[in-house]
Amino acid sequence: MDYYMLFEKLLRMATSMEEVEQFSVDSIAEALDEICALMRVSKVVIYFYENAKMELVGSGDELVCYDTGEPGMEVDSKRLVSEAMTVAVCKIYQPFNAKRWTDEERDRVDLILKTMLVFASRKKLKKIADRLTFYDSDGYQNTRFFIRTTQLMDINGELGGKATIQYNLRHFALVNQQIGRNAGDFIMRRFSDGLERILADKGILCRMGSDNFIVLCDMEVLNRVLQYLEGRNIEQDTIDGESIRITTTAGVYILPENFEYRDPGDIFDRLLAAARLAKGSGLEKVIFYSDDMEKKREKITEVQRLFREAIHNQEFQVYYQPKVDVNGSFLSGAEALCRWFHEGKLIAPDEFIPILEQGSEICTLDFYMLDHVCRDIRRWLDMGKEVVTVSVNLSRKHMMEPELVEHIIAILDKHKIPHKYVEIELTETTTDIEFRDIRRVVGGLQQAGIRTSVDDFGTGYSSLNLIREIPWDVLKVDKCFLPTEEDKDNSPENVMFKSVVNLAKDLGLECVVEGVETEAQLQALKDNNCDQAQGFFFDRPMPVEKFEERLSHKDYAE
Ligand code: C2E
Ligand code: CA
Ligand code: CA
């Protein structure tokens, strides 16, 4: 190839943006190699700086375009400032003993240098533009990257049959709060890296913003990805290498084989609907988009729509589940649990409480329950029955209410109920902010002589210190800690149960164990000095009339 042809090729490559995309650096290098040899050049270097300031401090990228390895001297250089204020500098060297250029040759070299610079700048600018367009400020691929990838795959007919996942890191605000933002970023990065290793070349991971991510992958890795998203211990970047458990909620949408892709909404609408449901429901951590899901969505709106009227029509009833003194085998208390009777059908709390908890309706229901419990207690007292303490569940949604304690006391006082007959169940706290509120509420209730209990102890996310610093009366151990028939004395389950119960005792709290279903489990409670048992072994939650009979016959040993 003669010089002019080479030069023309180089010039063409360098001057149009499309060509920049098409031509590989290799082909440029090849053309350059030949030109350099012709012009007796020993080395060509391009320095690239994102701005003039970076150039001043010498912080940039160095690209050696050509190098024979022969020692030489700088014979020419060019500097180019782009419209985006990036700076590119090209330097050219000749061997010490090489024949110097003629004027005509120097002009040509000048031209080549300029072209090279334009080319390099464009290539680099494109990279920067790509980075700004397709990556966020923390270096994660972003939603635009996701959309572009799906569009490219669609063009190539590769999109149908792929899986998409949108997931959210649970309690991540709390993680940031506990270990600091930087350490939080590090944990997030590590968690993402782990997922990217599973995806490898079978999928992509992008961040939508804050702790929300989105994945596009082949079906063959989907299970492994979902398994990973269930939860992982991520080691912190500290010497002791303490680890933090990261779990997620996720929505999944499998694109049908004949997926029709008109715009990104075709994916996002369904995917985000599934993800929202997973995050809000509190029941399932992974939800697949399906027609069934549409039905669930309808159910949510249905519950929200029916609620006001249901309260007005008194469709909610209090069921009482006895608590039994472990050693004496007599009725020692009860928990009030909500049942909804709608058009002759019974709806279980799991089907509506999590939905009501998404809004403020749960507060209305809880006060309704408390009011009805107080009404019942009043009636029992008036009937001359020997009343036991009844615990009422209070959703965490109440914690923002400044007048909560006063409101509770007012309901008790309205029915003239001695405060010792009512206990309030609250679940563990998750953040410091809530911690302050819960301490205020529990402290206020204690002063008013109203007992409080930590519900579902051990299933939440709280530190022991938080439990210790609040004046609780009772710790309710969740049923998931109860050993089953098969568990031997020193099985991990038994050891775990023992230590949870001991912990309650060490903190000086009464210990109630929920979900006792068998004689053997009851024995485990006795062996570990638990105070009260609640569970199907004694009684299921029952309507008020049946519970009144219990109040008259408290002895279970009979
Ligand atoms: P929870 O507070 O942990 O209530 C205990 C649940 O365990 C009850 O389910 C009860 O029926 C069940 N249970 C009791 N003994 C056994 C047993 O031996 N085996 C098994 N497998 N389960 C047992 P339920 O009544 O369906 O209530 C579910 C959840 O709904 C409650 O869990 C509570 O979180 C919520 N809930 C119920 N009523 C109210 C309410 O009035 N207000 C609020 N905020 N939440 C409520
Ligand atoms: Ca409870
Ligand atoms: Ca519970």
Side-chain angles (χ1 to χ4, degrees), residues 321 335-339 349-350 353 357 362 365-366 369 393-395 425 455-456 479 514-517 534-537 541:
Q321 185 176 32
E335 176 175 5
L337 292 158
C338 186
R339 297 291 180 266
D350 283 344
I353 299 271
E357 273 180 332
I362 189 65
L365 180 69
D366 285 344
M369 290 287 290
N393 291 284
L394 211 65
S395 160
E425 295 194 10
D455 199 1
D456 303 336
K479 48 184 166 289
E514 300 183 278
V516 177
E517 293 183 354
Q534 180 185 341
F536 297 170
F537 179 71

Side-chain angles (χ1 to χ4, degrees), residues 381-486:
L381 288 171
D382 291 346
M383 287 160 77
K385 285 192 187 292
E386 213 180 293
V387 175
V388 292
T389 300
V390 178
S391 61
V392 177
N393 291 284
L394 211 65
S395 160
R396 246 196 290 199
K397 279 273 166 165
H398 294 272
M399 288 308 128
M400 309 304 280
E401 257 174 85
E403 312 269 276
L404 177 61
V405 175
E406 290 75 11
H407 196 161
I408 292 172
I409 294 174
I411 295 177
L412 267 69
D413 291 351
K414 183 177 87 181
H415 295 278
K416 302 197 174 60
I417 304 296
H419 293 182
K420 63 173 180 182
Y421 288 134
V422 173
E423 181 176 311
I424 300 291
E425 295 194 10
L426 286 161
T427 46
E428 291 171 72
T429 166
T430 54
T431 68
D432 286 345
I433 299 158
E434 275 180 13
F435 172 71
R436 278 197 291 278
D437 284 329
I438 292 198
R439 178 153 61 182
R440 178 176 49 79
V441 170
V442 173
L445 290 172
Q446 188 196 37
Q447 274 190 355
I450 300 170
R451 288 155 56 91
T452 51
S453 48
V454 190
D455 199 1
D456 303 336
F457 177 69
T459 62
Y461 194 103
S462 71
S463 79
L464 267 182
N465 282 335
L466 296 197
I467 300 268
R468 209 193 305 264
E469 284 174 31
I470 293 182
W472 303 101
D473 298 291
V474 180
L475 211 141
K476 292 192 83 179
V477 177
D478 190 74
K479 48 184 166 289
C480 69
F481 287 102
L482 266 176
T484 59
E485 301 287 274
E486 299 89 61

Side-chain angles (χ1 to χ4, degrees), residues 6 26 28-38 65-67:
L6 275 171
D26 282 354
I28 290 275
E30 204 178 293
L32 188 69
D33 276 1
E34 293 185 47
I35 295 171
C36 288
L38 267 170
C65 309
Y66 179 80
D67 193 1

